[in-house]
Amino acid sequence: MPDAPRVTVTVHGPDPLSRAGVVRHLRHEPTVELIDRPRPFGDAFGDAFGDEPRGTVAVMLAERLDARAGAELRRLVRGGEQRVVLVTGELRETELMAVVEYGVRAVLWQHRATPRRLLRAVHRAARAARTDPCGVDRRLTEHFV
């Protein structure tokens, strides 16, 4: 994606090793500007004062969509300023529908997420309008058919 515009990105998730891996891959991409996220995922203070750095795209890592991950997703999409890419290991059909309803712009299976696929999802999410359909990994939807 040599001609792609630079996209600001934040990375969110409960597992520091997973976050570090995603940050490591994205940090070397010339079309991505990473914004450090000072507080851990699910911090009670969260975005209470609106001072948390926000990127154009938020990459959210969640093994499964539990109550904590759902709350974090809703917080990230609140206001519609950030577009969210969800990387998940497990997602039931009802959870997929909820994720789409929240306004998540792209969903990737964790075990199929490569640096290239993640970068493509970040750029697609950055270009997507709020009304555009969610970009879901084709094999994710085939799982439910």
Short mmCIF file of all heavy atoms in Angstrom, two decimals, residues 40-91:
data_model
loop_
_atom_site.label_atom_id
_atom_site.label_comp_id
_atom_site.label_asym_id
_atom_site.label_seq_id
_atom_site.Cartn_x
_atom_site.Cartn_y
_atom_site.Cartn_z
N PRO A 40 -4.32 0.61 30.59
CA PRO A 40 -4.63 -0.75 30.16
C PRO A 40 -6.10 -0.91 29.79
O PRO A 40 -6.95 -0.15 30.25
CB PRO A 40 -4.29 -1.61 31.38
CG PRO A 40 -4.35 -0.69 32.53
CD PRO A 40 -3.99 0.67 32.01
N PHE A 41 -6.38 -1.90 28.96
CA PHE A 41 -7.74 -2.25 28.55
C PHE A 41 -8.62 -2.45 29.77
O PHE A 41 -8.23 -3.10 30.73
CB PHE A 41 -7.65 -3.54 27.74
CG PHE A 41 -8.96 -4.16 27.37
CD1 PHE A 41 -9.68 -3.67 26.31
CD2 PHE A 41 -9.45 -5.25 28.06
CE1 PHE A 41 -10.87 -4.26 25.94
CE2 PHE A 41 -10.64 -5.84 27.70
CZ PHE A 41 -11.36 -5.34 26.63
N GLY A 42 -9.80 -1.87 29.75
CA GLY A 42 -10.76 -2.07 30.83
C GLY A 42 -10.46 -1.27 32.08
O GLY A 42 -11.08 -1.48 33.11
N ASP A 43 -9.54 -0.32 32.00
CA ASP A 43 -9.25 0.54 33.15
C ASP A 43 -10.52 1.25 33.57
O ASP A 43 -11.25 1.79 32.74
CB ASP A 43 -8.18 1.56 32.75
CG ASP A 43 -7.69 2.41 33.90
OD1 ASP A 43 -8.49 2.74 34.78
OD2 ASP A 43 -6.50 2.74 33.90
N ALA A 44 -10.80 1.27 34.84
CA ALA A 44 -12.02 1.88 35.35
C ALA A 44 -12.13 3.36 34.99
O ALA A 44 -13.21 3.89 34.85
CB ALA A 44 -12.10 1.72 36.87
N PHE A 45 -10.99 4.02 34.82
CA PHE A 45 -11.03 5.44 34.49
C PHE A 45 -11.24 5.66 33.00
O PHE A 45 -11.66 6.71 32.59
CB PHE A 45 -9.75 6.14 34.95
CG PHE A 45 -9.62 6.12 36.44
CD1 PHE A 45 -8.74 5.27 37.06
CD2 PHE A 45 -10.41 6.94 37.22
CE1 PHE A 45 -8.63 5.24 38.44
CE2 PHE A 45 -10.31 6.92 38.59
CZ PHE A 45 -9.41 6.06 39.20
N GLY A 46 -10.89 4.64 32.18
CA GLY A 46 -11.14 4.66 30.75
C GLY A 46 -10.95 6.01 30.11
O GLY A 46 -9.91 6.60 30.16
N ASP A 47 -12.01 6.51 29.53
CA ASP A 47 -11.99 7.77 28.81
C ASP A 47 -12.81 8.81 29.56
O ASP A 47 -13.43 9.68 28.97
CB ASP A 47 -12.54 7.53 27.40
CG ASP A 47 -12.23 8.66 26.44
OD1 ASP A 47 -11.27 9.41 26.66
OD2 ASP A 47 -12.98 8.77 25.47
N ALA A 48 -12.84 8.70 30.88
CA ALA A 48 -13.72 9.53 31.70
C ALA A 48 -13.56 11.00 31.45
O ALA A 48 -14.52 11.75 31.49
CB ALA A 48 -13.49 9.21 33.18
N PHE A 49 -12.36 11.46 31.20
CA PHE A 49 -12.14 12.88 31.03
C PHE A 49 -11.84 13.25 29.58
O PHE A 49 -11.47 14.37 29.29
CB PHE A 49 -11.01 13.35 31.95
CG PHE A 49 -11.34 13.11 33.39
CD1 PHE A 49 -10.75 12.08 34.08
CD2 PHE A 49 -12.28 13.89 34.04
CE1 PHE A 49 -11.07 11.83 35.41
CE2 PHE A 49 -12.61 13.65 35.36
CZ PHE A 49 -12.01 12.61 36.05
N GLY A 50 -12.00 12.28 28.67
CA GLY A 50 -11.79 12.56 27.26
C GLY A 50 -10.35 12.84 26.89
O GLY A 50 -10.08 13.37 25.83
N ASP A 51 -9.40 12.47 27.75
CA ASP A 51 -8.01 12.79 27.47
C ASP A 51 -7.23 11.62 26.88
O ASP A 51 -6.05 11.73 26.63
CB ASP A 51 -7.31 13.28 28.74
CG ASP A 51 -7.32 12.24 29.86
OD1 ASP A 51 -8.01 11.22 29.71
OD2 ASP A 51 -6.65 12.47 30.87
N GLU A 52 -7.88 10.51 26.64
CA GLU A 52 -7.19 9.36 26.05
C GLU A 52 -6.93 9.64 24.58
O GLU A 52 -7.82 10.10 23.86
CB GLU A 52 -8.05 8.11 26.19
CG GLU A 52 -7.38 6.91 25.58
CD GLU A 52 -8.18 5.66 25.80
OE1 GLU A 52 -9.10 5.41 25.03
OE2 GLU A 52 -7.87 4.95 26.76
N PRO A 53 -5.72 9.38 24.11
CA PRO A 53 -5.43 9.58 22.69
C PRO A 53 -6.34 8.71 21.83
O PRO A 53 -6.62 7.58 22.17
CB PRO A 53 -3.98 9.13 22.56
CG PRO A 53 -3.42 9.15 23.92
CD PRO A 53 -4.57 8.89 24.85
N ARG A 54 -6.82 9.29 20.74
CA ARG A 54 -7.70 8.56 19.84
C ARG A 54 -7.12 8.59 18.44
O ARG A 54 -6.73 9.63 17.94
CB ARG A 54 -9.09 9.17 19.83
CG ARG A 54 -9.78 9.08 21.18
CD ARG A 54 -11.08 9.85 21.19
NE ARG A 54 -12.13 9.19 20.46
CZ ARG A 54 -12.94 8.27 20.96
NH1 ARG A 54 -12.79 7.88 22.21
NH2 ARG A 54 -13.90 7.74 20.23
N GLY A 55 -7.10 7.42 17.80
CA GLY A 55 -6.64 7.34 16.42
C GLY A 55 -7.82 7.34 15.49
O GLY A 55 -8.97 7.25 15.91
N THR A 56 -7.54 7.41 14.21
CA THR A 56 -8.58 7.27 13.20
C THR A 56 -9.17 5.87 13.29
O THR A 56 -10.36 5.67 13.17
CB THR A 56 -7.99 7.49 11.79
OG1 THR A 56 -7.38 8.78 11.75
CG2 THR A 56 -9.05 7.39 10.72
N VAL A 57 -8.28 4.89 13.56
CA VAL A 57 -8.69 3.49 13.67
C VAL A 57 -8.21 2.94 15.00
O VAL A 57 -7.08 3.18 15.42
CB VAL A 57 -8.09 2.65 12.51
CG1 VAL A 57 -8.40 1.17 12.68
CG2 VAL A 57 -8.61 3.14 11.16
N ALA A 58 -9.10 2.20 15.66
CA ALA A 58 -8.75 1.49 16.89
C ALA A 58 -8.76 -0.01 16.56
O ALA A 58 -9.76 -0.52 16.07
CB ALA A 58 -9.75 1.78 18.00
N VAL A 59 -7.64 -0.68 16.81
CA VAL A 59 -7.57 -2.13 16.64
C VAL A 59 -7.85 -2.74 18.00
O VAL A 59 -7.13 -2.48 18.96
CB VAL A 59 -6.19 -2.59 16.11
CG1 VAL A 59 -6.12 -4.11 16.06
CG2 VAL A 59 -5.92 -1.99 14.74
N MET A 60 -8.91 -3.52 18.09
CA MET A 60 -9.33 -4.14 19.35
C MET A 60 -9.05 -5.63 19.28
O MET A 60 -9.47 -6.31 18.35
CB MET A 60 -10.82 -3.89 19.54
CG MET A 60 -11.47 -4.71 20.58
SD MET A 60 -11.45 -3.91 22.15
CE MET A 60 -12.35 -5.13 23.09
N LEU A 61 -8.30 -6.14 20.26
CA LEU A 61 -7.97 -7.56 20.36
C LEU A 61 -8.81 -8.18 21.46
O LEU A 61 -8.75 -7.72 22.60
CB LEU A 61 -6.49 -7.73 20.67
CG LEU A 61 -5.52 -6.93 19.78
CD1 LEU A 61 -4.11 -7.01 20.34
CD2 LEU A 61 -5.59 -7.42 18.35
N ALA A 62 -9.60 -9.18 21.13
CA ALA A 62 -10.43 -9.84 22.13
C ALA A 62 -10.58 -11.31 21.77
O ALA A 62 -11.08 -11.63 20.69
CB ALA A 62 -11.80 -9.18 22.22
N GLU A 63 -10.11 -12.17 22.65
CA GLU A 63 -10.24 -13.61 22.39
C GLU A 63 -11.70 -13.99 22.17
O GLU A 63 -12.03 -14.75 21.29
CB GLU A 63 -9.64 -14.40 23.56
CG GLU A 63 -9.76 -15.90 23.42
CD GLU A 63 -9.05 -16.46 22.20
OE1 GLU A 63 -8.00 -15.93 21.81
OE2 GLU A 63 -9.56 -17.44 21.62
N ARG A 64 -12.58 -13.43 23.00
CA ARG A 64 -14.03 -13.64 22.85
C ARG A 64 -14.75 -12.37 23.23
O ARG A 64 -14.19 -11.51 23.91
CB ARG A 64 -14.50 -14.83 23.66
CG ARG A 64 -14.35 -14.68 25.16
CD ARG A 64 -14.67 -15.94 25.93
NE ARG A 64 -13.89 -17.09 25.56
CZ ARG A 64 -12.65 -17.35 25.99
NH1 ARG A 64 -12.06 -16.52 26.80
NH2 ARG A 64 -12.00 -18.41 25.61
N LEU A 65 -15.97 -12.25 22.83
CA LEU A 65 -16.74 -11.05 23.12
C LEU A 65 -17.51 -11.25 24.42
O LEU A 65 -18.70 -11.56 24.42
CB LEU A 65 -17.69 -10.70 21.97
CG LEU A 65 -18.32 -9.33 22.05
CD1 LEU A 65 -17.27 -8.25 21.91
CD2 LEU A 65 -19.38 -9.17 20.99
N ASP A 66 -16.82 -11.06 25.54
CA ASP A 66 -17.49 -11.14 26.84
C ASP A 66 -18.00 -9.74 27.20
O ASP A 66 -17.88 -8.81 26.41
CB ASP A 66 -16.54 -11.70 27.90
CG ASP A 66 -15.24 -10.92 28.02
OD1 ASP A 66 -15.15 -9.78 27.51
OD2 ASP A 66 -14.30 -11.44 28.63
N ALA A 67 -18.54 -9.59 28.39
CA ALA A 67 -19.11 -8.30 28.81
C ALA A 67 -18.05 -7.20 28.81
O ALA A 67 -18.31 -6.07 28.39
CB ALA A 67 -19.74 -8.44 30.19
N ARG A 68 -16.86 -7.52 29.26
CA ARG A 68 -15.78 -6.53 29.32
C ARG A 68 -15.37 -6.07 27.92
O ARG A 68 -15.21 -4.88 27.67
CB ARG A 68 -14.60 -7.16 30.06
CG ARG A 68 -13.47 -6.24 30.34
CD ARG A 68 -12.46 -6.98 31.19
NE ARG A 68 -11.25 -6.20 31.30
CZ ARG A 68 -10.12 -6.65 31.77
NH1 ARG A 68 -10.04 -7.90 32.19
NH2 ARG A 68 -9.07 -5.89 31.84
N ALA A 69 -15.21 -7.02 27.01
CA ALA A 69 -14.84 -6.68 25.63
C ALA A 69 -15.97 -5.91 24.94
O ALA A 69 -15.71 -4.96 24.20
CB ALA A 69 -14.49 -7.94 24.85
N GLY A 70 -17.20 -6.30 25.20
CA GLY A 70 -18.35 -5.58 24.63
C GLY A 70 -18.40 -4.14 25.09
O GLY A 70 -18.65 -3.22 24.30
N ALA A 71 -18.14 -3.93 26.38
CA ALA A 71 -18.13 -2.56 26.92
C ALA A 71 -17.02 -1.75 26.29
O ALA A 71 -17.20 -0.56 25.96
CB ALA A 71 -17.98 -2.61 28.44
N GLU A 72 -15.85 -2.35 26.10
CA GLU A 72 -14.72 -1.65 25.48
C GLU A 72 -15.03 -1.31 24.03
O GLU A 72 -14.75 -0.20 23.58
CB GLU A 72 -13.45 -2.50 25.58
CG GLU A 72 -12.24 -1.87 24.96
CD GLU A 72 -11.60 -0.74 25.78
OE1 GLU A 72 -12.16 -0.33 26.81
OE2 GLU A 72 -10.53 -0.25 25.37
N LEU A 73 -15.66 -2.23 23.30
CA LEU A 73 -16.04 -1.94 21.91
C LEU A 73 -17.01 -0.77 21.83
O LEU A 73 -16.84 0.14 21.02
CB LEU A 73 -16.69 -3.17 21.28
CG LEU A 73 -15.77 -4.20 20.68
CD1 LEU A 73 -16.57 -5.40 20.20
CD2 LEU A 73 -14.96 -3.62 19.54
N ARG A 74 -18.02 -0.79 22.69
CA ARG A 74 -19.00 0.31 22.70
C ARG A 74 -18.32 1.63 23.03
O ARG A 74 -18.63 2.67 22.45
CB ARG A 74 -20.14 0.02 23.66
CG ARG A 74 -21.09 -1.07 23.15
CD ARG A 74 -22.32 -1.23 24.01
NE ARG A 74 -22.03 -1.61 25.37
CZ ARG A 74 -21.79 -2.85 25.79
NH1 ARG A 74 -21.80 -3.84 24.93
NH2 ARG A 74 -21.55 -3.10 27.05
N ARG A 75 -17.36 1.62 23.96
CA ARG A 75 -16.65 2.83 24.33
C ARG A 75 -15.83 3.36 23.15
O ARG A 75 -15.79 4.55 22.89
CB ARG A 75 -15.73 2.56 25.53
CG ARG A 75 -15.07 3.82 26.09
CD ARG A 75 -14.05 3.48 27.16
NE ARG A 75 -12.88 2.82 26.64
CZ ARG A 75 -11.90 3.46 25.96
NH1 ARG A 75 -11.97 4.74 25.74
NH2 ARG A 75 -10.86 2.79 25.52
N LEU A 76 -15.20 2.45 22.42
CA LEU A 76 -14.36 2.85 21.30
C LEU A 76 -15.16 3.45 20.15
O LEU A 76 -14.71 4.40 19.51
CB LEU A 76 -13.53 1.67 20.79
CG LEU A 76 -12.42 1.20 21.72
CD1 LEU A 76 -11.82 -0.11 21.21
CD2 LEU A 76 -11.35 2.26 21.89
N VAL A 77 -16.35 2.92 19.89
CA VAL A 77 -17.14 3.43 18.76
C VAL A 77 -18.02 4.62 19.14
O VAL A 77 -18.55 5.28 18.26
CB VAL A 77 -18.01 2.33 18.10
CG1 VAL A 77 -17.14 1.22 17.55
CG2 VAL A 77 -19.04 1.78 19.05
N ARG A 78 -18.13 4.89 20.44
CA ARG A 78 -18.96 6.00 20.90
C ARG A 78 -18.54 7.29 20.21
O ARG A 78 -17.37 7.62 20.15
CB ARG A 78 -18.84 6.17 22.42
CG ARG A 78 -19.80 7.16 23.01
CD ARG A 78 -19.64 7.33 24.51
NE ARG A 78 -19.32 6.09 25.19
CZ ARG A 78 -18.33 5.96 26.08
NH1 ARG A 78 -17.58 6.98 26.41
NH2 ARG A 78 -18.10 4.81 26.66
N GLY A 79 -19.49 8.00 19.68
CA GLY A 79 -19.21 9.27 19.02
C GLY A 79 -18.89 9.12 17.54
O GLY A 79 -18.93 10.09 16.80
N GLY A 80 -18.56 7.92 17.10
CA GLY A 80 -18.31 7.68 15.68
C GLY A 80 -17.03 8.27 15.12
O GLY A 80 -16.84 8.28 13.91
N GLU A 81 -16.15 8.77 15.99
CA GLU A 81 -14.91 9.38 15.49
C GLU A 81 -13.86 8.33 15.11
O GLU A 81 -13.07 8.54 14.21
CB GLU A 81 -14.33 10.32 16.54
CG GLU A 81 -15.21 11.51 16.82
CD GLU A 81 -14.72 12.31 18.01
OE1 GLU A 81 -13.57 12.12 18.44
OE2 GLU A 81 -15.51 13.12 18.50
N GLN A 82 -13.85 7.21 15.84
CA GLN A 82 -12.89 6.14 15.56
C GLN A 82 -13.60 5.03 14.82
O GLN A 82 -14.76 4.75 15.08
CB GLN A 82 -12.33 5.55 16.85
CG GLN A 82 -11.36 6.40 17.56
CD GLN A 82 -10.70 5.63 18.68
OE1 GLN A 82 -9.52 5.39 18.63
NE2 GLN A 82 -11.45 5.24 19.68
N ARG A 83 -12.88 4.40 13.94
CA ARG A 83 -13.39 3.20 13.28
C ARG A 83 -12.66 2.02 13.90
O ARG A 83 -11.46 2.09 14.09
CB ARG A 83 -13.15 3.30 11.79
CG ARG A 83 -14.00 4.40 11.19
CD ARG A 83 -13.51 4.78 9.83
NE ARG A 83 -14.32 5.85 9.30
CZ ARG A 83 -13.89 7.09 9.17
NH1 ARG A 83 -12.67 7.41 9.56
NH2 ARG A 83 -14.66 8.01 8.66
N VAL A 84 -13.39 0.97 14.22
CA VAL A 84 -12.81 -0.14 14.97
C VAL A 84 -12.63 -1.37 14.10
O VAL A 84 -13.52 -1.74 13.34
CB VAL A 84 -13.69 -0.49 16.20
CG1 VAL A 84 -13.12 -1.68 16.95
CG2 VAL A 84 -13.82 0.72 17.12
N VAL A 85 -11.44 -1.97 14.23
CA VAL A 85 -11.14 -3.27 13.63
C VAL A 85 -11.05 -4.25 14.80
O VAL A 85 -10.26 -4.04 15.71
CB VAL A 85 -9.79 -3.24 12.87
CG1 VAL A 85 -9.40 -4.64 12.42
CG2 VAL A 85 -9.87 -2.28 11.68
N LEU A 86 -11.87 -5.28 14.79
CA LEU A 86 -11.88 -6.29 15.84
C LEU A 86 -11.12 -7.53 15.37
O LEU A 86 -11.42 -8.08 14.31
CB LEU A 86 -13.31 -6.67 16.21
CG LEU A 86 -13.48 -7.82 17.21
CD1 LEU A 86 -12.89 -7.47 18.57
CD2 LEU A 86 -14.95 -8.20 17.33
N VAL A 87 -10.14 -7.94 16.17
CA VAL A 87 -9.42 -9.20 15.92
C VAL A 87 -9.84 -10.13 17.05
O VAL A 87 -9.60 -9.84 18.22
CB VAL A 87 -7.89 -8.99 15.91
CG1 VAL A 87 -7.18 -10.31 15.64
CG2 VAL A 87 -7.49 -7.94 14.89
N THR A 88 -10.49 -11.24 16.70
CA THR A 88 -11.07 -12.10 17.72
C THR A 88 -10.77 -13.57 17.45
O THR A 88 -10.57 -13.98 16.32
CB THR A 88 -12.60 -11.88 17.80
OG1 THR A 88 -13.14 -12.64 18.88
CG2 THR A 88 -13.30 -12.26 16.52
N GLY A 89 -10.77 -14.33 18.52
CA GLY A 89 -10.55 -15.76 18.41
C GLY A 89 -11.83 -16.54 18.34
O GLY A 89 -11.91 -17.61 17.73
N GLU A 90 -12.87 -16.01 18.94
CA GLU A 90 -14.13 -16.74 19.05
C GLU A 90 -15.27 -15.74 18.97
O GLU A 90 -15.26 -14.72 19.66
CB GLU A 90 -14.16 -17.46 20.40
CG GLU A 90 -15.34 -18.33 20.65
CD GLU A 90 -15.23 -18.99 22.02
OE1 GLU A 90 -14.17 -19.56 22.32
OE2 GLU A 90 -16.21 -18.90 22.77
N LEU A 91 -16.26 -16.03 18.12
CA LEU A 91 -17.38 -15.12 17.96
C LEU A 91 -18.60 -15.92 17.51
O LEU A 91 -18.56 -16.56 16.45
CB LEU A 91 -17.03 -14.06 16.91
CG LEU A 91 -17.78 -12.75 16.89
CD1 LEU A 91 -17.58 -11.99 18.20
CD2 LEU A 91 -17.30 -11.89 15.74
#
